[in-house]
Amino acid sequence: MSTTPPTVSFSAPTTPPTGEPLRLALIGAGTFARDAYLPSLTPHRDQIQVAAVYSRTLARAAALAEQIDYPVDCTGDLDALLARPDIEAVAVLLPIAAMPQTVVAALAAGKHVLSEKPIAPDLATGRSLLAHYTRTQQTHHPALVWMVGENWRYEEAFLRAADLVHRGVIGDPLTCTWAIYTPITEQNKYYHSAWRRDSSFPGGFALDTGVHHMAVLRLIFGERAQGSALAPHGRPDLPPLDTPAATPPLRHGTLGTYIASYAAGAPWPPQLHIVGTRGSLRVQRKAIELTLDGSTEQIACSGFDGVEKELLAFARAIRRGEAHYNPPQQALQDLAVMEAILAAAAQGQPIAPARVI
């Protein structure tokens, strides 16, 4: 399935003075907006201010706005929201199948965009969106920022693990093993997001969460030509598959194994194990265990703060022109790798990810 962005007209952006907080509209008022965005934005109202909340259901927008400790507009009219000159940027927090046309409309309105991952429901749509963004920059708004919300790229533990590998602290990385068990049952708040379990989003939970994992593996290792995969399907309520098992395409000659199960749980933490010629790493979101020459060092890291960090990076990219970790090209390559893994599982043969960067 692919979605071709519609033909649009362009509006000139309004840029407030750089000393003012970034005025941000939240497009979508669901679980992630409530549980991830609001707690991340609350400590930084001096840098980012929520100006409005949009939802097709006005009551949901109002319920979210009530949790913000200053007045916030609520609306069910997206066109009117995007036409407002006082709104500089938008965060798009919609079901992935509905997101591409909203990203196009927001860019056309001259709004900076932070859209949630994955960048699109499939690679073809993602390519079309990226081409549209490039044209928009070239012909209308050269300074327009589009960031894709891959918050795992901002987690300290993964960034530090990448630095240790890149600097050769553990020598040449030989093997990488990551087993992740996240049972998606009716008790999981995201289970009730119907779009993650219907055909509007082809990869289901395996793709929606898998792009996080591919972002981390690419951050640490880069990627090579191709990988192979299997994907047993034990839960009919988690289509199209619930347990991808893959040899992801890692660079440096590293042999990798990746298993993610959404059908079953396990008592073990989802540690990423990396073994090199001089030492090894065990990595999870709040800690790294570094072993060199028989001696082990525990490295504490901040964790589960990637959304907060990426929001601040988004504001700095707009206000100061600073580079950030999540340009759409990176998000598209994350999607390409995960899509290749799912295709390899479906076809029973190795498939090379498409190269987009």
Side-chain angles (χ1 to χ4, degrees):
M1 182 186 75
S2 64
T3 305
T4 301
T7 301
V8 293
S9 57
F10 294 89
S11 301
T14 299
T15 304
T18 57
E20 294 183 4
L22 179 71
R23 288 182 59 80
L24 177 73
L26 302 181
I27 299 179
T31 301
F32 200 68
R34 181 192 68 220
D35 293 352
Y37 269 66
L38 287 194
S40 299
L41 288 165
T42 297
H44 304 290
R45 58 187 296 176
D46 60 323
Q47 298 180 62
I48 307 173
Q49 186 176 77
V50 178
V53 177
Y54 162 85
S55 175
R56 289 181 302 175
T57 306
L58 196 57
R60 295 190 72 183
L64 187 69
E66 285 176 3
Q67 299 182 47
I68 302 173
D69 63 356
Y70 52 84
V72 175
D73 295 339
C74 302
T75 182
D77 188 337
L78 183 59
D79 291 338
L81 176 72
L82 295 178
R84 285 178 50 172
D86 64 314
I87 291 175
E88 186 179 5
V90 299
V92 184
L93 302 129
L94 297 173
I96 300 304
M99 198 161 56
Q101 61 186 16
T102 305
V103 170
V104 167
L107 292 172
K111 309 302 181 188
H112 303 286
V113 174
L114 170 58
S115 61
E116 269 307 310
K117 59 80 210 165
I119 186 173
D122 56 75
L123 191 57
T125 305
R127 286 184 184 277
S128 182
L129 279 175
L130 182 56
H132 175 83
Y133 174 56
T134 301
R135 289 194 302 270
T136 302
Q137 286 186 305
Q138 291 173 344
T139 60
H140 294 84
H141 309 312
L144 207 57
V145 174
W146 177 23
M147 173 191 277
V148 177
E150 180 43 75
N151 55 293
W152 285 37
R153 255 195 206 93
Y154 278 89
E155 292 282 343
E156 181 187 359
F158 300 138
L159 289 167
R160 294 188 71 169
D163 178 64
L164 290 167
V165 170
H166 295 171
R167 288 193 291 114
V169 172
I170 63 168
D172 295 328
L174 299 176
T175 65
C176 162
T177 305
W178 207 358
I180 302 161
Y181 299 92
T182 308
I184 303 297
T185 65
E186 292 189 6
Q187 287 69 49
N188 186 297
K189 60 187 176 183
Y190 294 111
Y191 179 90
H192 303 282
S193 313
W195 61 269
R196 289 184 171 93
R197 297 188 293 113
D198 65 29
S199 58
S200 69
F201 184 51
F205 278 95
L207 179 57
D208 183 45
T209 305
V211 290
H212 280 316
H213 308 148
M214 295 308 112
V216 170
L217 292 176
R218 291 185 57 244
L219 176 71
I220 297 172
F221 297 103
E223 65 205 66
R224 59 177 172 81
Q226 63 183 23
S228 60
L230 297 171
H233 190 198
R235 293 263 305 276
D237 60 330
L238 297 177
L241 50 89
D242 51 41
T243 307
T247 57
L250 308 179
R251 207 164 49 192
H252 305 302
T254 308
L255 175 62
T257 60
Y258 162 73
I259 298 173
S261 181
Y262 306 98
W268 315 300
Q271 294 174 331
L272 170 61
H273 295 78
I274 305 169
V275 177
T277 54
R278 293 187 57 241
S280 62
L281 296 172
R282 287 205 297 178
V283 185
Q284 49 189 325
R285 289 177 76 178
K286 296 190 74 170
I288 295 175
E289 186 177 284
L290 169 63
T291 300
L292 295 172
D293 301 321
S295 178
T296 297
E297 175 188 1
Q298 303 291 337
I299 304 172
C301 301
S302 64
F304 300 92
D305 56 357
V307 173
E308 181 178 357
K309 289 177 178 176
E310 74 183 1
L311 281 163
L312 293 174
F314 182 54
R316 289 194 298 269
I318 295 167
R319 285 288 188 256
R320 306 175 192 170
E322 292 184 8
H324 58 83
Y325 297 149
N326 288 336
Q329 293 88 344
Q330 289 288 356
L332 191 58
Q333 194 64 51
D334 297 339
L335 176 60
V337 175
M338 196 63 213
E339 194 170 274
I341 286 174
L342 299 181
Q347 299 178 28
Q349 62 183 7
I351 292 180
R355 297 298 306 172
V356 297
I357 57 175

